[in-house]
Amino acid sequence: MMAARFTAKSLVTRFSSPVGRRARWSLVDQALSSLTNMAVSVFVARVVGPNEFGAFALAFATYLLALNAGRAFASQPLVIRHSASPADVRWLATLGSTGAAVILGITVAIPLGIVGLTVGGPTGGTLAALAVCLPGLLLQDAWRYSFFTSSEPTKAVINDGIWVIVQVLLFSLLVITHTQNSVRFVLAWGAAATVAGFGGCLQTRCRPNFRGGIRWFKSHSDIAPMLAVEMLATAGVTQIAFFCLAAAAGVETVGAIRAASLLFGPLNVVWVGAIVVILPEVVRLHSSAPSRLFGFSVALAIGMAGISLAMGSVVFFLPSSVGHALLGTNWLVARPIVPAVTLQVVASAVLATAALPMRVLEAVRQTMSIRLILVPLTVGAYTAGGVLAGAAGATLCGAGVTGLGAWLAWRQAIKAMRYESLRA
């Protein structure tokens, strides 16, 4: 298998037209989703006070944790195991996946609502409001992934468009009636997602199957918990590292790294959107031509690393006037560490691409183990590097650990693909 012939021309011939269209729509959807969430946060920050916005930010962070859990238990197993399934099988799986997302939302919402009512105040109110809307929020995201799994990203764009339109209407109503606060904004944001969730039912002419959702949890219990651990470790390691770095080297160090990382924001939107559409395509590739999995994965890793380097070069050579316009005075501390951040982005891209064939081969235990190993190493590297050499040292040490993770992940991926080839 490792010696299987692979050329870029053959890849383009096989995938360019259908994958290109799906990729474009997926990127549109991801940009719509990401930019809308960012715009909501900016809008709320401008119209409420610091205490209210802090409550909103806490609710949003809680939502992100629940969202990662929903994807691990409901959406990711659907993508991994049913992207290449026959339409009727995939339809039944979608009913179970969306049912599981709603069940998970209700399960998390009950204790979250109790906590919110107990805490009280703006913080407790926003948590209680989030609890009311959480099932709808997770359902809307589950529909997005089901559309990608069935190669219908345009439906995902329409669904996210419904969410945006209803959000704008509800937020406008709050402003016009002068009744805006963090609780009402969370309710409006979540209610709009719930409307989009029902819109998904209309788009597919079906509704989530709760009995099927219970069966879904049982039938995917072999991979879903490990996916959840891996995703939470991936999402949380940088936050933990930054807290430790701030304590050891000062918040200014963290601020410099955050500022430099913001300049790579457009690239992150592209990667997230690309991974969403690429994973189902890799599943279908493995189903139809398993010998090409290795070549495709290597080409993808090289491509992502190359684009990351190019983006880093563009950022580094930005005119000072543009840098100041984007970051203000933070540009002065961000620009010197752009090369180090570029290395971190390149290493992260190579690590992310290694996870794709591992997902396809359902080698999730290995990827989870690598992510867990990287947590203490990343925290220690950032902290030690920051103490010794400031923001540049912290980022370089963090990039080194990510590079180590990429090497371990690719080693495991090659081993898994070789084992799969021998079995075949």
Side-chain angles (χ1 to χ4, degrees):
M1 179 199 69
M2 298 303 166
R5 190 174 179 180
F6 175 82
T7 65
K9 183 178 179 180
S10 65
L11 182 65
V12 170
T13 301
R14 171 66 176 82
F15 290 107
S16 59
S17 179
V19 173
R21 287 194 297 270
R22 289 195 288 268
R24 285 192 295 272
W25 280 110
S26 297
L27 291 177
V28 169
D29 179 73
Q30 184 58 43
L32 183 64
S33 178
S34 298
L35 294 177
T36 300
N37 283 335
M38 183 177 71
V40 167
S41 297
V42 171
F43 180 80
V44 175
R46 292 176 64 88
V47 298
V48 302
N51 188 37
E52 293 269 350
F53 182 68
F56 178 86
L58 180 61
F60 193 82
T62 305
Y63 156 72
L64 291 178
L65 290 174
L67 184 68
N68 276 315
R71 289 176 177 176
F73 283 97
S75 302
Q76 283 279 318
L78 176 69
V79 174
I80 293 170
R81 290 182 166 170
H82 294 286
S83 291
S85 297
D88 55 340
V89 175
R90 187 171 58 246
W91 181 75
L92 289 174
T94 298
L95 299 184
S97 173
T98 51
V102 176
I103 291 172
L104 182 64
I106 295 172
T107 303
V108 175
I110 292 173
L112 182 63
I114 294 173
V115 170
L117 294 175
T118 303
V119 171
T123 298
T126 56
L127 293 178
L130 176 63
V132 172
C133 303
L134 194 56
L137 284 160
L138 296 191
L139 175 61
Q140 192 275 337
D141 191 69
W143 281 128
R144 288 183 66 224
Y145 272 79
S146 73
F147 294 140
F148 293 127
T149 303
S150 59
S151 300
E152 298 176 302
T154 52
K155 289 187 177 181
V157 174
I158 293 171
N159 195 268
D160 270 325
I162 294 172
W163 189 5
V164 171
I165 292 170
V166 178
Q167 275 186 82
V168 171
L169 292 175
L170 293 179
F171 277 35
S172 299
L173 180 63
L174 292 177
V175 172
I176 292 171
T177 58
H178 302 288
T179 56
Q180 66 267 29
N181 60 36
S182 60
V183 174
R184 290 190 174 94
F185 276 128
V186 170
L187 284 173
W189 169 67
T194 302
V195 171
F198 283 111
C201 297
L202 295 176
Q203 286 175 282
T204 58
R205 298 180 182 178
C206 63
R207 59 182 177 79
N209 186 318
F210 299 111
R211 186 173 297 176
I214 295 174
R215 290 195 298 269
W216 182 268
F217 286 121
K218 294 178 181 178
S219 61
H220 298 287
S221 60
D222 56 329
I223 62 171
M226 289 181 287
L227 287 170
V229 171
E230 179 190 343
M231 294 176 73
L232 291 175
T234 303
V237 62
T238 302
Q239 311 308 320
I240 297 171
F242 279 177
F243 277 119
C244 294
L245 179 60
V251 293
E252 297 83 1
T253 304
V254 175
I257 298 173
R258 284 287 195 190
S261 299
L262 280 175
L263 298 171
F264 291 82
L267 184 65
N268 292 332
V269 172
V270 171
W271 283 157
V272 173
I275 292 298
V276 168
V277 70
I278 286 172
L279 180 55
E281 297 300 336
V282 177
V283 172
R284 285 186 275 269
L285 170 65
H286 178 253
S287 176
S288 61
S291 63
R292 302 181 66 183
L293 179 61
F294 176 73
F296 181 91
S297 301
V298 170
L300 184 63
I302 293 172
M304 289 182 70
I307 295 174
S308 299
L309 282 172
M311 182 70 181
S313 300
V314 170
V315 171
F316 183 75
F317 289 107
L318 278 177
S320 294
S321 58
V322 176
H324 280 287
L326 293 172
L327 299 178
T329 57
N330 287 305
W331 170 248
L332 298 176
V333 295
R335 189 179 186 277
I337 66 170
V338 166
V341 174
T342 300
L343 291 178
Q344 172 68 42
V345 172
V346 170
S348 298
V350 177
L351 175 57
T353 52
L356 287 172
M358 299 285 275
R359 285 279 196 273
V360 174
L361 300 174
E362 298 190 16
V364 293
R365 185 179 300 276
Q366 290 90 327
T367 55
M368 179 194 70
S369 299
I370 291 170
R371 288 293 186 178
L372 290 177
I373 290 171
L374 292 183
V375 170
L377 292 179
T378 301
V379 173
Y382 267 94
T383 305
V387 171
L388 294 174
T395 309
L396 281 174
C397 290
V401 171
T402 305
L404 172 63
W407 176 75
L408 291 173
W410 269 103
R411 184 182 177 187
Q412 289 291 337
I414 292 172
K415 184 185 297 185
M417 285 186 281
R418 182 180 290 121
Y419 177 71
E420 180 74 7
S421 177
L422 292 175
R423 283 179 54 192

